[in-house]
Amino acid sequence: MLGSKTLIFKKQKRRRKNGKNKKSKKISVSTEERVAEPYQIANEDDDDEGFRLKSSSQSDSHGVQPLGNLYFNPSSHNSRNTGLGNLQTLTDELVLDILGLLEGAHLGILSTVSKGFYIFCNHEPLWRNLVLETCKGGFLFKGSWKSTFVSAYRPSFPATSTGLKVRDFYSDYLFQSWLCANLEMKPEWLERDNIVRRKGISLDEFVMNFEEPNKPVLLEGCLENWPALEKWNLDYLIEKCGDVKFSVGPVEMRLEDYFKYSDLVREERPLYLFDPRFAEKIPQLGKDYDVPMYFNEDLFSVLGTERPDYRWIIIGPAGSGSSFHIDPNCTSAWNAVIKGSKKWILFPPDVVPPGVHPSPDGAEVASPVSIIEWFMNFYNATKNWKKRPIECVCKAGEVIFVPNGWWHLVINLEDSIAITQNFVSRRNLLNVLEFLKRPNACTLVSGTSDRVNLHEKFKNAIEAYLPGTIDELTLKAEEKKAQLKKPSFWESVTDSKAGAFRFSF
């Protein structure tokens, strides 16, 4: 969670005293009818490098302010505390956890008790959860999650786009959702581009320099013959897909409805369209692209229809994306951007990203902060790491290779459409087989209904279609391991105790 020091708004007169800062956008945080002095968002580490708000951003709909602003209030009054009464001792997060157990009607009733409860009960993520839990067949977004929920159950009820402004309500936790939803990506978060880029390399070069050593690479010029690059715009996709519904988080939505949502939404974690059955639902979409030659070998294909999920269409607005994760089943992956652009951050398998907490068995990954929060709180720390992350901005027409085991975070910098596929080649076959036979495979394996037996099915299918391949790869791996243990010439002629050469006559 964002600290109150990070969230403090500095008064304009103090800004002038400390020097000019034309990059930061001044915003007005007004409560009820009182007009507040202009403030700017200040960076915790560098007052001259403030955060910028998006040009489309508006002040918080209910007047919630960061806790740091309380220090500029002469009365030191926080209506949060008076509104909650004895519950004020609870953290904001715990209050919201409790309210999350209520139904929509009960939230509406409780919001009339006090100004404090009004703010908490109108917290948008509460209503988002209600919509996603109850509208599995899709929804029509009405500008806010509360209005969307109300219209789903009472279509005739007039939707309200604005709420009451509450004076002197201070909360970092509630304010952060609005802040993260309205922050621009800082230029310094985008300028680092240290990935290896290649264009027109041969398959052998790719295997030797990137797939074998398990290193990321950004490939250019791979998609020039894809019809999708020219055809996949909003009108084409809506026309082709019609009433067919796609997976959007826990719900199914028509593309037209999803595009309406993505145009209107301004939230910290926008919903991501991520569908593994898009080519079966609309066969033409599967014909509009070809797998780049570097990734044609996909050994999971020997399982036919029993293979785990492996390809997805990905659509999302600016700010949507995936927090840090490792791709499923120890597979490698490629991701091709058709429209828009994406910021990528990748850490090697032996480096856990800051702010990420995987369980000891790898079954679960806790990443308690949103993508924007991660950039605000952890990104700068990685600059001084010995093993710095690999970073890039992948643009339309480019493909990134994500090796197996690599942690990666992705955020869309604009409205984006992409295709991604996970695959198994000879280079990572042994790793996948080892992963699938782990004792806790039933919790680790994903994308298939038969998690327990996948290892045996896959191994038997490989031995049937490619006899001797597993034994051959195992032998090569053992030879490579022995070679790494073998001392070099200089090590063999050096006296380890004396630190000098050893001579034998």
Side-chain angles (χ1 to χ4, degrees):
M1 178 180 164
L2 302 176
S4 56
K5 185 177 178 183
T6 303
L7 294 174
I8 288 180
F9 281 78
K10 295 198 172 183
K11 290 188 176 181
Q12 181 71 3
K13 63 181 182 181
R14 185 175 176 185
R15 182 178 71 87
R16 290 173 180 156
K17 179 180 179 181
N18 291 342
K20 295 181 178 180
N21 188 342
K22 296 181 179 180
K23 292 184 179 180
S24 296
K25 176 184 174 182
K26 293 181 290 183
I27 65 174
S28 177
V29 183
S30 59
T31 56
E32 294 183 348
E33 297 180 353
R34 180 185 63 181
V35 178
E37 294 180 74
Y39 296 86
Q40 79 177 57
I41 298 178
N43 188 336
E44 181 175 1
D45 298 319
D46 188 350
D47 287 347
D48 293 330
E49 292 292 335
F51 296 105
R52 296 181 59 189
L53 295 177
K54 296 176 182 177
S55 58
S56 60
S57 64
Q58 300 177 351
S59 60
D60 183 272
S61 59
H62 300 301
V64 176
Q65 301 181 53
L67 191 58
N69 279 19
L70 180 61
Y71 298 109
F72 298 115
N73 186 343
S75 67
S76 298
H77 169 71
N78 189 349
S79 58
R80 171 215 183 267
N81 297 335
T82 55
L84 290 180
N86 291 336
L87 296 181
Q88 65 180 275
T89 57
L90 302 179
T91 65
D92 292 348
E93 186 175 10
L94 184 54
V95 171
L96 290 173
D97 285 343
I98 295 172
L99 296 180
L101 302 174
L102 303 181
E103 298 178 356
H106 297 149
L107 281 177
I109 295 171
L110 188 58
S111 68
T112 64
V113 171
S114 68
K115 293 179 180 178
F117 274 114
Y118 175 82
I119 293 290
F120 277 100
C121 291
N122 279 281
H123 190 50
E124 276 287 271
L126 289 175
W127 295 96
R128 166 175 156 145
N129 290 340
L130 287 172
V131 171
L132 299 183
E133 289 171 3
T134 57
C135 301
K136 297 295 185 182
F139 58 87
L140 294 176
F141 192 69
K142 299 295 184 179
S144 74
W145 286 108
K146 183 178 181 181
S147 296
T148 302
F149 179 83
V150 171
S151 67
Y153 288 91
R154 295 288 187 273
S156 60
F157 195 84
T160 57
S161 58
T162 58
L164 299 176
K165 295 284 187 179
V166 175
R167 183 190 296 270
D168 298 334
F169 191 104
Y170 304 96
S171 166
D172 281 350
Y173 191 85
L174 296 182
F175 182 78
Q176 71 172 340
S177 294
W178 173 87
L179 180 64
C180 290
N182 288 279
L183 279 182
E184 291 274 14
M185 290 286 287
K186 295 180 69 173
E188 67 185 66
W189 297 344
L190 304 175
E191 63 187 13
R192 195 190 302 176
D193 192 321
N194 58 354
I195 197 170
V196 176
R197 293 173 176 264
R198 291 290 183 268
K199 184 176 183 179
I201 63 174
S202 67
L203 177 59
D204 290 340
E205 288 178 288
F206 169 75
V207 172
M208 180 177 63
N209 296 324
F210 302 105
E211 193 177 17
E212 282 280 6
N214 213 42
K215 294 181 179 179
V217 62
L218 192 145
L219 300 165
E220 302 172 345
C222 297
L223 316 182
E224 293 174 350
N225 297 322
W226 279 24
L229 279 182
E230 297 295 329
K231 296 163 62 175
W232 283 21
N233 56 38
L234 186 147
D235 293 333
Y236 173 82
L237 292 175
I238 290 177
E239 178 186 353
K240 284 294 178 184
C241 299
D243 292 330
V244 174
K245 294 184 177 182
F246 295 84
S247 298
V248 180
V251 303
E252 299 281 320
M253 295 183 69
R254 297 188 312 148
L255 270 186
E256 184 174 9
D257 295 336
Y258 177 74
F259 285 135
K260 289 178 180 178
Y261 156 81
S262 63
D263 285 342
L264 294 173
V265 72
R266 293 292 180 272
E267 60 182 339
E268 184 179 4
R269 295 178 173 89
L271 292 175
Y272 216 9
L273 190 151
F274 204 81
D275 195 289
R277 300 281 181 265
F278 73 98
E280 289 83 358
K281 294 175 179 178
I282 309 293
Q284 182 59 46
L285 298 184
K287 298 176 182 178
D288 284 344
Y289 79 98
D290 296 304
V291 176
M293 68 171 183
Y294 309 106
F295 317 113
N296 276 329
E297 184 179 61
D298 185 3
L299 300 181
F300 257 145
S301 62
V302 300
L303 291 174
T305 57
E306 292 187 283
R307 70 171 300 164
D309 294 340
Y310 71 104
R311 61 179 176 179
W312 295 263
I313 185 174
I314 309 172
I315 303 177
S320 61
S322 301
S323 56
F324 276 110
H325 65 282
I326 295 174
D327 279 339
N329 306 329
C330 206
T331 55
S332 298
W334 57 269
N335 186 296
V337 179
I338 297 172
K339 300 292 182 184
S341 57
K342 298 171 179 282
K343 169 71 179 183
W344 285 78
I345 298 183
L346 305 97
F347 286 89
D350 60 330
V351 179
V352 178
V356 177
H357 309 283
S359 61
D361 62 358
E364 297 180 356
V365 176
S367 184
V369 298
S370 64
I371 296 175
I372 287 293
E373 265 194 282
W374 186 88
F375 275 96
M376 295 177 70
N377 293 325
F378 298 105
Y379 179 79
N380 286 339
T382 65
K383 292 181 178 180
N384 300 320
W385 283 26
K386 185 176 181 179
K387 291 187 177 181
R388 296 181 181 180
I390 300 295
E391 300 183 40
C392 69
V393 173
C394 191
K395 300 178 181 179
E398 298 177 338
V399 181
I400 186 171
F401 166 61
V402 183
N404 70 87
W406 278 68
W407 292 94
H408 50 284
L409 170 151
V410 190
I411 182 170
N412 291 322
L413 303 179
E414 53 190 311
D415 294 350
S416 299
I417 304 174
I419 292 290
T420 188
Q421 289 195 188
N422 290 69
F423 66 98
V424 183
S425 69
R426 285 174 171 83
R427 269 64 64 186
N428 67 328
L429 174 60
L430 295 183
N431 292 330
V432 171
L433 288 172
E434 183 67 25
F435 179 87
L436 296 181
K437 72 174 183 180
R438 289 184 183 181
N440 60 338
C442 61
T443 59
L444 295 176
V445 176
S446 65
T448 178
S449 58
D450 191 0
R451 299 181 176 186
V452 177
N453 300 312
L454 184 60
H455 173 264
E456 286 303 316
K457 286 182 179 179
F458 186 39
K459 183 179 180 181
N460 293 338
I462 289 292
E463 290 176 341
Y465 281 88
L466 301 168
T469 297
I470 296 177
D471 292 337
E472 179 184 344
L473 292 174
T474 302
L475 180 60
K476 287 182 178 180
E478 291 174 350
E479 291 176 350
K480 184 177 181 180
K481 188 176 181 180
Q483 188 67 28
L484 292 174
K485 290 183 177 180
K486 183 179 179 180
S488 67
F489 168 77
W490 293 109
E491 290 172 331
S492 65
V493 298
T494 300
D495 188 332
S496 60
K497 293 183 179 179
F501 287 110
R502 179 175 63 234
F503 296 95
S504 298
F505 297 99

